[in-house]
Amino acid sequence: MTQQGVRWTADQVLALAPDSTSRKAGSKLGTADPWSGTGSSREGAVWGLCEGSGGTPYRTVVDTADGTGPAYRCSCPSRKFPCKHALGLLLLWSGGEGATPAGRAPDWAERWIAGRRRAREQREAGPTGSGSGPADPEGARRRAERRAERITAGATELEERLADLLRSGLATAEQSGYALWEETAARMVDAQAPGLAARVRELGAVPGSAPDWPVRLLEECALLHLLDQGWLHRERLPEALAATVRARVGLPTSPTGPPVRDHWLVLAQYDTPDPKLTTRRIWLYGTASGRTALLLSYGAAGRAPELTLPVGLALDAEVSAHSGAGRQRVSLGEQFAPPVLTGTRPPGMTTTEATARYGETLRHDPWQDSVPVTLDHVIPTPDGDSWQLADAEGDTALPLTPAAVSRPGLWCLVALSGGAPVTVFGECGHRGFTPLTAWPTAPGEAVRLC
């Protein structure tokens, strides 16, 4: 039995955009003028032809009910997922059934939809005996040992460089410039320790960044030294902490926990760009389990990650936890129904409770930059040149991070509040609080802030 895909709101569609440029371009295509041959199915597929700069219209089709999140196919040359045509088509679909009437998909769309359906069935059926030969556990063990040896050599070299820095004095870090840090990071990449490389690059941005930069540099050097020592003595650590060290160094993790089925509310989605990789973070909240979980998706060579989930909808799906302290990261498994609208919100806490939760997390993972929390009954208020979230019924507040203050989402939050308390989900860490999603006190839909 099929299920009718839920028709999203315009805000939820625009929340899928990989960047502000795509959001603006997609909004221009969200009217009926450039479209022809549009339609939709009860299973959640939407299709249409969009006029382009050439004589042939672009063929665009979206599967809103795919088991791993919305899926897109467009004949345009864009490398972004979703492209502006997919966003425009979804905006048209969100406006009501009249713009994308129910019907049978054209052949070009049906072939793509059927192909995805077959692939999904094969995934759900699992591996068969006709696949590739059996895995080589001995070969995998030898490769893991060789990589561990390279990481150990890299960590040992990094310890020597940190010791040289402290012997010569932190002031030399500003004189040396960024090239020294980049060269050290490249050495960690050669050692197959991308986690160490990323932290080294972060060190290179600290000197001269603020009046108190020597204090921050010393703190970050201490954390990097602690991670080095954790790797070099990992056999002495409790298994959960050892797993965290392996993940922080940069070894890939895989799901180890049993699948957990729940209705997962999509709390937030945002991208962190890098010259070689774009990382997409999607926060979920299990309405039955009360658990907050993190999905990671990656896009290489300037391409946006393909996994996109609309903020404010709930998924009836299974997730499996990865190893490591906190076990927040999960992999998305089978999805049992299309995403649906829900009035559920995660339970909130005070700003004092949020900072206490972050402190407790550091006991198990000293390298954790922030933790996901929901603040209840807080009011955005100015704090000198910055902003803070103040408890409406107390005398405590959390400062916003510098990055959050510089984003347009701050003004969306201020407008939503209007001086009244709101509920805000975000990340709380040593640099402050970064708001990602907010809800008004009265019943209302989630507002994406990132």
Side-chain angles (χ1 to χ4, degrees), residues 344-385:
T344 303
R345 304 179 184 182
M349 62 181 66
T350 65
T351 57
T352 300
E353 292 169 334
T355 54
R357 174 171 292 186
Y358 177 56
E360 180 65 23
T361 300
L362 293 179
R363 294 177 54 190
H364 306 286
D365 184 357
W367 308 280
Q368 183 75 276
D369 288 329
S370 60
V371 294
V373 296
T374 301
L375 300 177
D376 198 17
H377 283 81
V378 290
I379 303 174
T381 57
D383 180 25
D385 294 332

Side-chain angles (χ1 to χ4, degrees), residues 29 32-36 48-58 84-85:
L29 297 175
D33 292 342
W35 293 96
S36 61
L49 302 173
C50 186
E51 295 179 1
S53 56
T56 303
Y58 295 122
K84 63 181 181 180
H85 305 101

Side-chain angles (χ1 to χ4, degrees), residues 3 26 166 187 201 252 281 309 335 348 358 436:
Q3 297 188 39
L166 294 180
R187 296 285 294 168
R201 290 193 178 97
R281 290 173 169 82
L309 296 175
Q335 185 175 327
Y358 177 56
L436 301 175

Side-chain angles (χ1 to χ4, degrees), residues 325-338:
R327 295 173 63 84
Q328 287 182 330
R329 184 183 175 187
V330 298
S331 290
L332 184 62
E334 182 178 358
Q335 185 175 327
F336 300 95

Side-chain angles (χ1 to χ4, degrees), residues 156-406:
T156 302
E157 178 181 347
L158 184 54
E159 284 291 275
E160 294 172 355
R161 298 200 176 198
L162 290 175
D164 290 342
L165 173 64
L166 294 180
R167 277 194 296 266
S168 58
L170 294 179
T172 61
E174 190 173 22
Q175 301 166 3
S176 300
Y178 191 76
L180 176 63
W181 300 102
E182 185 58 38
E183 190 269 337
T184 303
R187 296 285 294 168
M188 296 304 103
V189 172
D190 293 340
Q192 293 185 286
L196 294 179
R199 298 192 79 90
V200 168
R201 290 193 178 97
E202 290 176 1
L203 286 181
V206 174
S209 60
D212 63 344
W213 71 262
V215 175
R216 185 181 165 198
L217 181 62
L218 184 60
E219 293 172 345
E220 296 296 333
C221 285
L223 284 172
L224 186 52
H225 167 69
L226 184 64
L227 183 56
D228 272 342
Q229 291 297 310
W231 172 263
L232 296 174
H233 302 92
R234 59 192 180 281
E235 69 280 353
R236 304 180 190 176
L237 301 178
E239 178 51 36
L241 183 56
T244 298
V245 168
R246 290 192 292 267
R248 292 295 182 187
V249 165
L251 289 177
T253 63
S254 57
T256 57
V260 176
R261 182 175 178 178
D262 205 337
H263 285 82
W264 297 95
L265 172 64
V266 183
L267 291 175
Q269 173 181 292
Y270 68 94
D271 293 348
T272 303
D274 185 84
K276 296 183 180 180
L277 189 73
T278 297
T279 302
R280 174 165 294 168
R281 290 173 169 82
I282 303 176
W283 286 108
L284 305 175
Y285 171 74
T287 58
S289 63
R291 175 181 176 181
T292 303
L294 175 65
L295 282 174
L296 293 180
S297 180
Y298 302 96
R303 301 190 66 166
E306 292 194 28
L307 177 61
T308 55
L309 296 175
V311 174
L313 297 188
L315 312 172
D316 181 6
E318 289 181 339
V319 302
S320 298
H322 289 236
S323 59
R327 295 173 63 84
Q328 287 182 330
R329 184 183 175 187
V330 298
S331 290
L332 184 62
E334 182 178 358
Q335 185 175 327
F336 300 95
V340 296
L341 291 170
T342 177
T344 303
R345 304 179 184 182
M349 62 181 66
T350 65
T351 57
T352 300
E353 292 169 334
T355 54
R357 174 171 292 186
Y358 177 56
E360 180 65 23
T361 300
L362 293 179
R363 294 177 54 190
H364 306 286
D365 184 357
W367 308 280
Q368 183 75 276
D369 288 329
S370 60
V371 294
V373 296
T374 301
L375 300 177
D376 198 17
H377 283 81
V378 290
I379 303 174
T381 57
D383 180 25
D385 294 332
S386 187
W387 284 77
Q388 62 184 2
L389 293 177
D391 283 310
E393 300 174 357
D395 56 359
T396 58
L398 268 177
L400 298 188
T401 60
V405 173
S406 64

